[in-house]
């Protein structure tokens, strides 16, 4: 199974278009080690020919342009794409806005929970993806689904499970933080290559998570690779850097550091590899020479970047 990180940043990307904070300036100044990052998404394939995209970020066109495997094949039909499937983990803008760039009556299958599909159906702009062309299929909150493209199975299965999270910002009721998981606001996904005996190496993809509990730890234990929510290093870092007031928790993302942070919460979980993705532009791990980046690396974590490739 081949996996490519298409986008490793949180919403807004890195640098964010209107951010003039030191980390964003370092990217614009092309300082050594500071890598630009697009918004959160990965791609996976069982055969290198048929691909599934997990979350469709506003940067999807840039991401496809940087990934030859996702581009129309030389000598192929005039209209063609290796992208057969799109899977959504929630309805955040940085995960669904790219769907608008995948119009042009190109068939693929779109998978999401009932909650997310309802959000798309109630926003008429998403009708540019005509359901008669782009079939929408519901993902269960708990269970295994064999992914298909327009011509049938693509060799991948996903096991879906609810994780602590939050409704998308544009769906929040006024005055309410409106956290929730039972309704299918946020899911995690275990991605596996379809195997005759039902086994296969597992990538856990959880780009948004508000907390890690014992059932989630047990589920991930023994996994081959985890790509996990690395939005903020400190819960209060947006206020600390002067660029915002919301905490990580208020945005539905657990911090990396501190008591109850993901470094601590996931330390006892046995994993082949562990990689932070969905990294906010305020997160000090984006500076490869920072103490935060050293702490993360010394704890056995990798810091995801656009174009990162993994084979399982």
């Amino acid at each position: 199974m081949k996996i490519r990180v298409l986008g490793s940043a949180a919403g807004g990307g890195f640098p964010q278009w209107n951010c003039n904070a030191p980390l964003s300036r370092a990217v614009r100044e092309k300082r050594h080690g500071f890598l630009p990052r697009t918004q959160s998404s990965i791609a996976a394939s069982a055969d290198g020919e048929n691909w599934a995209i997990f979350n469709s970020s506003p940067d999807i066109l840039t991401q496809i342009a940087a990934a030859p495997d996702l581009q129309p094949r030389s000598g192929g039909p005039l209209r063609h794409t290796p992208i057969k499937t799109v899977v959504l983990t929630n309805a955040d803008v940085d995960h669904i806005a790219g769907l608008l760039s995948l119009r042009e009556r190109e068939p693929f299958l779109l998978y999401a929970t009932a909650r997310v599909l309802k959000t798309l159906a109630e926003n008429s702009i998403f009708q540019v993806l005509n359901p008669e062309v782009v079939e929408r299929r519901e993902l269960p909150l708990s269970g295994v689904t064999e992914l298909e493209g327009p011509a049938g199975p693509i060799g991948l299965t996903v096991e879906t499970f609810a994780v602590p999270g939050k409704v998308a910002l544009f769906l929040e009721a006024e005055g309410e933080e409106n956290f929730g998981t039972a309704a299918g606001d946020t899911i995690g996904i275990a991605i596996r290559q379809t195997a005759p005996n039902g086994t296969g190496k597992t990538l856990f993809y959880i780009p948004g998570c508000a907390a890690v509990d014992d059932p989630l730890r047990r589920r991930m234990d023994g996994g081959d690779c985890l790509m996990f929510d690395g939005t903020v290093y400190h819960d209060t870092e947006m206020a600390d850097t002067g660029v915002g007031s919301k905490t990580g928790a208020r945005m539905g993302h657990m911090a990396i550091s501190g008591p109850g942070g993901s470094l601590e919460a996931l330390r006892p979980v046995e994993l082949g590899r562990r990689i932070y993705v969905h990294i906010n532009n305020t997160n000090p791990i984006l500076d490869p020479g920072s103490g935060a980046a050293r702490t993360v690396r010394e704890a056995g974590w990798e810091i995801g970047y656009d174009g990162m490739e993994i084979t399982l």
Side-chain angles (χ1 to χ4, degrees):
M1 180 168 64
K2 296 176 64 177
I3 301 102
R4 180 183 175 97
V5 177
L6 301 180
S8 53
F14 181 62
Q16 183 173 298
W17 72 278
N18 65 338
C19 184
N20 199 31
L23 290 173
S24 290
R25 286 204 310 272
V27 179
R28 293 193 180 98
E29 294 168 0
K30 296 182 170 55
R31 288 173 50 189
H32 179 71
F34 286 82
L35 302 175
R37 288 168 161 86
T38 58
Q39 295 169 87
S40 174
S41 180
I42 67 170
S45 176
D47 58 9
E49 297 292 330
N50 300 288
W51 288 82
I53 301 295
F54 294 83
N55 292 326
S56 183
S57 91
D59 301 313
I60 187 67
L61 297 185
T62 298
Q63 294 166 348
I64 291 172
D69 284 345
L70 302 183
Q71 299 167 14
R73 299 286 182 258
S74 176
L78 293 179
R79 297 287 191 181
H80 169 258
T81 178
I83 299 170
K84 308 301 180 185
T85 307
V86 175
V87 182
L88 305 176
T89 63
N90 62 20
D92 284 351
V93 169
D94 50 317
H95 287 163
I96 65 173
L99 292 172
L100 302 178
S101 295
L102 300 181
R103 58 192 189 277
E104 311 300 349
R105 298 189 62 82
E106 182 66 44
F108 61 88
L109 268 66
L110 178 61
Y111 289 85
T113 64
R115 168 78 169 177
V116 175
L117 291 178
K118 181 173 182 287
T119 299
L120 298 179
E122 291 177 348
N123 284 266
S124 60
I125 192 171
F126 289 103
Q127 295 309 307
V128 296
L129 293 180
N130 187 334
E132 294 181 2
V133 178
V134 177
E135 182 181 346
R136 303 180 185 189
R137 291 192 182 178
E138 181 179 338
L139 285 174
L141 290 182
S142 178
V144 176
T145 302
E146 183 176 20
L147 296 182
E148 294 188 2
I154 62 171
L156 296 174
T157 62
V158 294
E159 182 178 0
T160 49
F161 47 93
V163 296
K166 189 182 73 62
V167 299
L169 178 63
F170 65 91
L171 294 176
E172 286 185 12
E174 186 175 356
E176 295 182 4
E177 296 187 358
N178 207 3
F179 285 74
T181 56
D185 297 309
T186 303
I187 59 170
I189 297 177
I191 308 168
R192 301 181 180 93
Q193 186 169 353
T194 306
N197 58 4
T199 63
K201 293 189 174 182
T202 302
L203 169 72
F204 286 98
Y205 182 53
I206 309 175
C209 188
V212 172
D213 54 18
D214 286 336
L216 183 56
R217 272 187 283 265
R218 289 193 295 270
R219 179 185 294 276
M220 293 189 294
D221 199 50
D224 299 286
C225 185
L226 167 65
M227 291 185 177
F228 192 78
D229 185 347
T231 305
V232 293
Y233 189 77
H234 300 289
D235 186 55
T236 59
E237 72 186 39
M238 289 185 66
D240 296 342
T241 55
V243 300
S245 59
K246 289 183 178 179
T247 63
R250 173 63 182 86
M251 296 186 294
H253 300 284
M254 67 188 303
I256 292 173
S257 65
S262 57
L263 279 181
E264 177 184 87
L266 294 170
R267 186 173 292 118
V269 180
E270 293 292 331
L271 292 160
R273 293 176 71 174
R274 50 188 79 203
I275 302 166
Y276 280 120
V277 293
H278 199 276
I279 306 167
N280 195 55
N281 61 79
T282 56
N283 193 323
I285 68 172
L286 293 170
D287 176 354
S290 68
R294 287 193 297 273
T295 296
V296 163
R297 292 193 297 264
E298 289 170 0
W301 284 82
E302 300 171 64
I303 300 168
Y305 57 88
D306 291 22
M308 186 180 198
E309 293 186 345
I310 296 168
T311 300
L312 294 178

